[in-house]
């Protein structure tokens, strides 16, 4: 639901980020990253903080962009792009994990990638929708699943940015 703390004022409705598909995917990515880093990295590895912060930044910048939309469309565009950039940084971390552990990186034609495309169309998807993949015993499936989610979220954010640019 949109938030407008000044309901009688001149600011347009703003907020409503929880209804954005990009935010919903970013929340799943954040939760999945917490799970992944706890499972596959040693407790004091700096990579944990970097990955978690990139996932958090992706999610939180969507929130901040949505809330800023009432006063600055330019700020909304910039923050949405920061969210996309943070998630792309996170994607590279997952690819690094796969490469350094000599695990396959799925291309778009991989049968599991195709399955993820179908899962991403699930209405009102939550972490539970993807938990079998994210929490799979095979670390390659876990990391590639996160990459698939990030690619989809980045795609959604790119479309969102294009739409915001057109409106601006």
């Amino acid at each position: 639901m949109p938030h407008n703390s000044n309901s009688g004022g001149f600011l347009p409705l703003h907020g409503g980020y929880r209804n954005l598909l990009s935010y919903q995917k970013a929340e799943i990515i954040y939760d999945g990253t917490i799970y992944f880093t706890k499972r596959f990295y040693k407790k004091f590895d700096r990579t944990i903080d970097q990955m978690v912060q990139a996932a958090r930044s992706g999610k939180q910048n969507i929130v901040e962009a949505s809330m800023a939309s009432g006063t600055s469309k330019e700020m909304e565009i910039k923050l949405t792009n920061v969210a996309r950039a943070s998630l792309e940084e996170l994607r590279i971390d997952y690819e690094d994990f796969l490469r350094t552990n000599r695990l396959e990186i799925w291309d778009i034609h991989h049968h599991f990638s195709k399955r993820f495309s179908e899962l991403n169309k699930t209405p009102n998807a939550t972490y539970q929708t993807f938990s079998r993949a994210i929490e799979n015993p095979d670390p390659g499936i876990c990391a590639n699943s996160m990459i698939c989610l990030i690619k989809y979220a980045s795609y959604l954010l790119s479309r969102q940015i294009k739409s915001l640019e057109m409106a601006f």
Side-chain angles (χ1 to χ4, degrees):
M1 173 173 243
H3 171 75
N4 187 350
S5 59
N6 187 8
S7 59
F10 62 88
L11 293 178
L13 287 177
H14 55 281
Y17 55 88
R18 290 187 189 275
N19 297 324
L20 293 172
L21 196 51
S22 58
Y23 175 80
Q24 294 166 9
K25 296 298 179 191
E27 188 173 67
I28 295 166
I29 291 164
Y30 176 78
D31 293 349
T33 298
I34 295 292
Y35 175 84
F36 186 90
T37 56
K38 284 182 180 178
R39 182 170 167 202
F40 294 110
Y41 289 98
K42 290 182 174 65
K43 189 175 185 177
F44 296 106
D45 190 326
R46 282 191 52 207
T47 307
I48 295 170
D49 289 338
Q50 292 170 336
M51 289 179 74
V52 169
Q53 286 307 311
R56 183 183 183 280
S57 178
K59 181 174 74 73
Q60 296 304 104
N61 276 290
I62 295 169
V63 173
E64 194 172 347
S66 181
M67 296 308 293
S69 71
T71 55
S72 174
K73 292 298 177 188
E74 182 181 359
M75 184 61 69
E76 181 182 16
I77 292 166
K78 286 180 181 179
L79 289 168
T80 303
N81 194 52
V82 170
R84 183 178 63 176
S86 294
L87 292 178
E88 284 299 309
E89 176 187 343
L90 181 61
R91 181 174 64 90
I92 297 304
D93 285 329
Y94 282 108
E95 288 178 359
D96 289 346
F97 174 86
L98 290 166
R99 191 184 63 259
T100 59
N101 286 285
R102 294 194 165 120
L103 299 168
E104 177 185 16
I105 298 175
W106 302 342
D107 66 17
I108 196 165
H109 304 293
H110 192 281
H111 65 281
F112 286 149
S113 291
K114 290 179 181 181
R115 173 69 180 127
F116 248 83
S117 291
E118 292 305 313
L119 272 178
N120 271 319
K121 295 175 186 173
T122 304
N124 304 310
T126 64
Y127 181 88
Q128 283 308 119
T129 308
F130 302 95
S131 64
R132 285 184 56 204
I134 295 170
E135 298 177 7
N136 194 286
D138 181 338
I141 291 175
C142 299
N144 276 295
S145 298
M146 294 303 297
I147 290 170
C148 288
L149 283 164
I150 293 166
K151 284 181 178 179
Y152 189 65
S154 292
Y155 164 76
L156 292 171
L157 289 167
S158 293
R159 285 186 44 200
Q160 200 171 323
I161 291 166
K162 282 282 181 220
S163 175
L164 292 169
E165 287 173 343
M166 297 296 281
F168 185 68

